[in-house]
């Protein structure tokens, strides 16, 4: 699990670390890590020696990092040009070493560029770009761009993009991850993020602002069948999804559920005939009241919002078992949040942005972490806010950011598959936070695999799930 810290905490940790180090050593560590990453990229396109690198240099330590890294590259034979975004306002020691190492200073973008380094603003920079930087970037050719610590112009504590920003191919960040480069629109601007260890870890707060799961976390949480398990002990999931009008939503939710760790799936809804013919292993009933005993419920995809659907949802929510609510169930719950408050078991809600608007009474803004946390506290349940870098938040203040997925997952029915998979995790006894994080992670892997095969459909994602999960389980030592 990787931690994510806000700027205030990072600044305090840097100050504490610098107090224990010789002057300038921290910046040299950062510059060396940056130069090493740039050199790796240059070697992929012909090598460091003779390459042309342009530094866009701002006035702060971020610009100093770029200049010291540029000096290292110049000593290795690269032709490095620095452009001062605010002429005369640069890191003096960095510029001195850069010039002495053979770097050159220019006011205009060189004709040839093999790589551009964004050293305009660091994590303390304000949102947006100064006019000179915007003008220079408009003339940058299609070459790799490396951001120093963060792409200039993004809002570092939220990932908000309020005006023009740098679009990085690679972001080399120092010490730890920050919200702006791993969530929201800022994550999309950051490209591939590489974190360089500069010794900051012991000085950061013990509890991070957010966490990003790794594959090892998911593997350790995933339920594995035990020698004496049967279909009941592995968990029984009730699926209330689909309808006469939208039978496919029920089928997709069941497909997601079948890929999960539960041993038994019971379906309840008006698409029961459709489900029965599609999945012979699923027991079907027309009503939740007739479904029998379950250890968790998933409800909502395609079930409708009429009186019959409302009655079905109330029956499922009355049972004292964990529950995942998605799609139409969220629309019904939005009219009366108290339904969740009086539940005798934990719940997970899985809204996309428009569903969030119905639940919260406003659209999510650029601070998606705070938005998810606010809704989790208000509803008293885990919130899985879908989108690029899905946010999972709990009423206790824990936040997780999902690192997997593909933009092509924004396709009809994909969320139904996720809801079914998440429900199966709950049925198997996985705590709500972990169930939501693991389901989003694996669903994202399946979406990525589907995208690599061609156009993505929800059923294509569902078909990839067993393969992804099989590889995950087989990776257990």
């Amino acid at each position: 699990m990787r931690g994510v810290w806000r700027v205030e905490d990072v600044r305090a940790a840097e100050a504490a670390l610098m107090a224990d180090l010789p002057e300038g050593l921290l910046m040299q560590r950062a510059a060396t890590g940056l130069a090493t990453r740039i050199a790796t990229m240059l070697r992929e396109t012909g090598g460091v020696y003779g390459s042309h690198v342009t530094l866009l240099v701002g006035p702060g330590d971020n610009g100093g990092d770029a200049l010291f890294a540029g000096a290292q590259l110049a000593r290795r034979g690269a032709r490095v040009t620095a452009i001062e975004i605010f002429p005369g306002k640069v890191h003096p020691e960095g510029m001195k070493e850069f010039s002495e190492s053979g770097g050159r200073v220019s006011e205009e973008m060189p004709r040839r560029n093999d790589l551009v380094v964004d050293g305009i603003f660091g994590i303390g920079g304000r949102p947006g770009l100064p006019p000179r930087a915007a003008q220079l970037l408009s003339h940058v050719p299609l070459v790799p761009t490396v951001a120093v610590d963060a792409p200039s112009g993004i809002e570092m504590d939220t990932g908000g993009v309020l005006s023009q920003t740098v679009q990085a191919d690679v972001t080399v960040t120092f010490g730890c991850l920050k919200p702006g480069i791993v969530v929201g629109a800022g994550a999309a601007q950051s490209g591939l993020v590489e974190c360089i260890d500069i010794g900051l870890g012991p000085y950061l707060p013990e509890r991070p602002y957010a966490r990003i799961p790794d594959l090892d976390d998911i593997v350790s949480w995933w339920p594995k069948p035990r020698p004496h398990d049967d279909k009941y002990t592995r968990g029984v999931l009730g699926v209330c999804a689909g309808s006469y009008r939208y039978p496919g939503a029920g089928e997709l939710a069941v497909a997601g559920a079948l890929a999960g760790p539960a041993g038994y799936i019971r379906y309840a809804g008006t698409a029961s005939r459709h489900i029965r013919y599609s999945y012979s292993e699923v027991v079907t009933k027309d009503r939740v009241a007739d479904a029998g005993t379950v250890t968790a419920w998933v409800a909502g995809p395609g079930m409708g919002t009429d009186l019959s659907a409302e009655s079905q949802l109330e029956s499922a929510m009355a049972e004292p078992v964990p529950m995942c609510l998605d799609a139409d169930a969220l629309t019904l719950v939005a009219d009366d949040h108290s339904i969740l408050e009086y539940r005798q078991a934990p719940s997970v809600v899985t809204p996309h942005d428009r569903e969030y608007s119905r639940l919260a009474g406003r659209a999510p803004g650029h601070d998606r972490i705070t938005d998810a946390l606010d809704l989790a506290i208000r509803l008293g349940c885990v919130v899985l806010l879908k989108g690029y870098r899905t946010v999972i938040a709990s009423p206790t203040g824990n936040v997780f950011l999902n690192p997997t997925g593909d933009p092509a997952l924004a396709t009809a029915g994909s969320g139904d598959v996720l809801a079914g998979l998440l429900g199966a995790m709950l049925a198997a006894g996985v705590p709500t936070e972990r169930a939501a994080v693991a389901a989003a992670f694996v669903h994202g892997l399946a979406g990525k695999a589907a995208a690599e095969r061609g156009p993505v459909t929800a059923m294509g994602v569902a078909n990839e799930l067993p393969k992804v999960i099989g590889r995950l389980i087989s990776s257990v030592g």
Side-chain angles (χ1 to χ4, degrees):
M1 194 80 70
R2 292 171 290 165
V4 180
W5 282 269
R6 302 185 75 173
V7 170
E8 181 181 8
D9 293 326
V10 175
R11 289 296 194 209
E14 288 177 340
L17 175 57
M18 284 190 288
D20 292 340
L21 293 177
E23 185 177 356
L25 181 57
L26 188 62
M27 183 171 286
Q28 289 294 344
R29 288 179 179 177
T32 297
L34 175 62
T36 300
R37 186 64 177 90
I38 293 171
T40 299
M41 296 175 67
L42 291 172
R43 282 196 294 271
E44 294 172 355
T45 58
V48 177
Y49 188 86
S51 63
H52 289 240
V53 177
T54 299
L55 314 178
L56 303 181
V57 181
D61 288 348
N62 184 259
D65 295 332
L67 288 168
F68 280 117
Q72 293 186 30
L73 294 169
R75 288 196 292 269
R76 296 177 61 177
R79 185 174 177 81
V80 187
T81 301
I83 301 177
E84 300 176 14
I85 302 302
F86 301 95
K89 296 181 180 180
V90 293
H91 192 279
E93 291 81 6
M95 180 57 77
K96 181 175 183 294
E97 182 161 335
F98 176 75
S99 299
E100 291 175 350
S101 300
R104 58 188 292 268
V105 178
S106 174
E107 295 184 358
E108 301 296 334
M109 191 69 67
R111 290 185 178 181
R112 177 181 168 185
N113 288 281
D114 297 312
L115 186 144
V116 172
V117 177
D118 163 26
I120 304 168
F121 293 139
I123 61 173
R126 60 186 181 274
L129 292 175
R132 175 164 169 75
Q135 187 271 334
L136 286 167
L137 286 167
S138 69
H139 293 90
V140 171
L142 294 177
V143 297
T145 298
V146 177
V148 183
D149 219 5
S152 296
I154 67 172
E155 196 170 68
M156 281 308 303
D157 274 340
T158 68
V161 174
L162 309 181
S163 57
Q164 186 175 359
T165 65
V166 171
Q167 174 63 64
D169 296 286
V170 174
T171 294
V172 179
T173 198
F174 308 120
C176 67
L177 299 174
K178 297 89 181 176
I181 57 177
V182 292
V183 71
Q189 296 295 116
S190 299
L192 177 66
V193 175
E194 180 169 327
C195 187
I196 303 297
D197 183 7
I198 57 173
L200 205 61
Y203 299 86
L204 290 165
E206 184 176 347
R207 179 174 177 172
Y209 179 54
R211 295 178 176 88
I212 299 177
D214 293 316
L215 183 61
D216 287 347
D217 299 309
I218 307 306
V219 170
S220 68
W221 297 345
W222 202 268
K224 289 87 181 176
R226 297 161 297 189
H228 302 295
D229 267 335
D230 58 38
K231 62 186 178 184
Y232 296 103
T233 60
R234 290 185 62 195
V236 181
L237 175 65
V239 178
C240 181
S243 58
Y244 291 125
R245 187 176 182 183
Y246 300 113
E251 183 173 351
L252 290 168
V254 168
L258 287 170
Y264 194 174
I265 309 297
R266 299 181 186 269
Y267 173 85
T270 55
S272 58
R273 183 176 180 182
H274 183 88
I275 299 298
R276 186 161 55 248
Y277 286 136
S278 298
Y279 301 104
S280 57
E281 64 267 59
V282 176
V283 173
T284 64
K285 298 290 182 179
D286 294 334
R287 300 191 313 149
V288 167
D290 299 327
T293 302
V294 300
T295 53
W297 275 102
V298 57
M303 69 183 292
T305 57
D306 57 14
L307 290 177
S308 174
E310 187 175 353
S311 176
Q312 292 273 63
L313 180 61
E314 288 177 355
S315 295
M317 294 184 73
E319 297 195 26
V321 296
M323 188 171 193
C324 170
L325 295 97
D326 183 51
D328 288 335
L330 300 180
T331 299
L332 293 170
V333 168
D335 294 332
D336 185 5
H337 290 176
S338 66
I339 299 173
L340 282 171
E341 295 173 10
Y342 293 118
R343 288 210 74 230
Q344 299 177 37
S347 304
V348 182
V349 298
T350 58
H352 54 55
D353 282 11
R354 285 176 293 282
E355 291 163 345
Y356 178 96
S357 298
R358 290 195 283 272
L359 289 167
R362 63 172 179 82
H366 58 269
D367 189 350
R368 297 180 70 81
I369 292 178
T370 296
D371 288 339
L373 270 173
D374 286 349
L375 187 60
I377 293 169
R378 187 189 306 184
L379 300 182
C381 66
V382 172
V383 170
L384 186 154
L385 178 57
K386 292 182 281 197
Y388 189 76
R389 297 294 184 263
T390 288
V391 180
I392 299 98
S394 75
T396 61
N398 290 332
V399 176
F400 302 89
L401 307 175
N402 182 50
T404 67
D406 189 277
L409 273 170
T411 188
S414 173
D416 304 343
V417 176
L418 171 61
L421 177 62
L422 203 165
M425 296 291 288
L426 295 173
V430 180
T432 50
E433 270 187 14
R434 290 186 174 186
V437 172
F441 191 102
V442 171
H443 182 260
L445 292 179
K448 187 71 172 178
E452 291 171 354
R453 294 180 178 274
V456 174
T457 64
M459 191 54 75
V461 175
N463 290 337
E464 291 294 336
L465 279 176
K467 305 170 193 175
V468 168
I469 294 169
R471 290 193 293 269
L472 183 147
I473 293 174
S474 66
S475 68
V476 180

